[in-house]
Amino acid sequence: MTHTSTPLLGGIEAGGTKFVCAVGYPPDNIYALEQFPTTTPRETLGRTLDFFRSQPHLPDAIGIATFGPADVRPTSNTYGFITSTPKPGWRNTDLVGFVERSLYLPAAFDTDVNGAAVGEHAWGAGQDVDNLLYLSVGTGFGGGAIVEGVPVHGLVHPEMGHLNLPRANGDDFKGHCPYHGPCLEGMASGPAIKARWGIPAESLPPDHTAWEFEAHYLSLAVTNLILTLSPERVIMGGGVMQQEHLFPAIRSRVQSYLNDYVQADAIIRGIDNYIVPPGLGDRAGVLGAMGLALSL
Ligand code: ADP
Ligand code: ZN
């Protein structure tokens, strides 16, 4: 952006369950915020448009952080689209084209988890580092990475939620992922927990075996991702991570798997500040979307 003053930013957190739209100067001055359920693209994008058109000032740029899979390659013909999602009606939905053609504003586009990683890097739990991992354990399982200050894309974009991991002892659940059965998302997302135990994750007591299994999958995933990306911080959010007891369980397992092989104080002595919840709390998603617009 070519502004000399701070730009007014817009954000669209396009989630599979809900959309959150915001306008303001993040992180503190968000002066309009609205959320509504994700229904059909027509209705949901209509409400998005109404939100921005009803603002006294249009933002200078809008960031879109979306559920996926999404095409985040700027040179591609379908850049800015949600692509092969199983979510009914949303296949091949052109989100960037929608913002550019209906609001005449520049739009930045990335996955929801890369957005959250960007927001945490700018204003949250990753402000002091340039390499970080953001994992979201909720309805799905997603991972976003910032390497040397830049969100990682690649061939399509990382799909850390579909890692294939060894089972926990005694876990014979067939898995909940329509593509891979017992992948990470298939074993450890909120719906996987509910399908395995017949009880929603939020209703399981902290001493339930479910959390042993959960700590097993999450700590293995974090270990493998630490070994792959060498992040300086691992931020874990999403509904399931509201179970605060998971943090110490994951930290100690990660230390034990790594067995002091990765010679880093942050892991060996400082793990409480290394594997952490989001600094932006439940605003991480929409602030992350706004953060994406900073790159324009
Ligand atoms: P989404 O992934 O749709 O953006 P969330 O991150 O809130 O939304 O994830 C929703 C999932 O998190 C649901 O499967 C729900 O069962 C689970 N969940 C929500 N709150 C809790 C909680 N306090 N403890 C454990 N699981 C929770
Ligand atoms: Zn999968």
Side-chain angles (χ1 to χ4, degrees):
M1 275 174 288
T2 52
H3 297 264
T4 47
S5 58
T6 319
L8 180 61
L9 298 178
I12 303 172
E13 179 191 357
T17 312
K18 66 179 192 298
F19 265 50
V20 187
C21 298
V23 175
Y25 299 96
D28 298 323
N29 188 3
I30 306 302
Y31 57 74
L33 187 142
E34 192 177 313
Q35 67 177 57
F36 35 87
T38 308
T39 56
T40 61
R42 191 186 175 84
E43 181 181 25
T44 314
L45 297 180
R47 291 187 75 165
T48 303
L49 202 55
D50 291 346
F51 168 82
F52 285 106
R53 285 192 173 147
S54 68
Q55 299 305 316
H57 302 286
L58 277 180
D60 295 301
I62 292 186
I64 307 167
T66 183
F67 71 91
D71 189 341
V72 297
R73 295 162 303 167
T75 54
S76 160
N77 287 338
T78 52
Y79 170 70
F81 282 55
I82 293 173
T83 55
S84 58
T85 179
K87 195 169 171 57
W90 284 86
R91 214 170 245 262
N92 303 322
T93 303
D94 180 6
L95 293 182
V96 166
F98 154 76
V99 168
E100 290 182 343
R101 285 194 293 272
S102 55
L103 292 166
Y104 309 103
L105 291 175
F109 185 71
D110 215 323
T111 59
D112 45 8
V113 278
N114 266 351
V118 166
E120 290 292 326
H121 184 222
W123 306 299
Q127 293 177 60
D128 54 332
V129 298
D130 273 334
N131 296 280
L132 68 87
L133 182 62
Y134 183 94
L135 296 176
S136 171
V137 195
T139 305
F141 195 120
I146 292 192
V147 172
E148 302 294 324
V150 180
V152 173
H153 294 143
L155 180 65
V156 179
H157 52 69
E159 287 283 11
M160 304 177 200
H162 298 265
L163 290 172
N164 186 331
L165 300 168
R167 285 174 176 275
N169 273 338
D171 186 2
D172 57 7
F173 178 54
K174 69 181 180 357
H176 199 61
C177 174
Y179 290 86
H180 318 111
C183 69
L184 176 57
E185 179 171 293
M187 297 305 257
S189 64
I193 298 171
K194 182 169 180 216
R196 187 197 275 106
W197 302 103
I199 302 169
E202 53 271 39
S203 308
L204 290 162
D207 59 354
H208 196 283
T209 314
W211 302 118
E212 274 286 321
F213 288 2
E214 190 69 9
H216 167 87
Y217 296 109
L218 297 183
S219 58
L220 277 181
V222 169
T223 301
N224 290 350
L225 292 166
I226 289 172
L227 293 167
T228 312
L229 290 166
S230 207
E232 296 170 277
R233 187 145 305 125
V234 179
I235 303 169
M236 301 186 74
V240 174
M241 293 310 298
Q242 286 179 38
Q243 299 286 323
E244 287 174 13
H245 56 87
L246 281 174
F247 281 95
I250 293 166
R251 289 175 187 135
S252 61
R253 282 172 172 79
V254 166
Q255 282 178 323
S256 135
Y257 288 130
L258 289 174
N259 198 23
D260 291 354
Y261 178 72
V262 177
Q263 285 287 315
D265 261 4
I267 298 173
I268 295 170
R269 273 173 286 277
I271 199 151
D272 290 354
N273 297 314
Y274 180 68
I275 300 175
V276 297
L280 299 174
D282 56 8
R283 296 191 310 160
V286 74
L287 288 175
M290 298 174 103
L292 294 173
L294 287 172
S295 68
L296 291 172

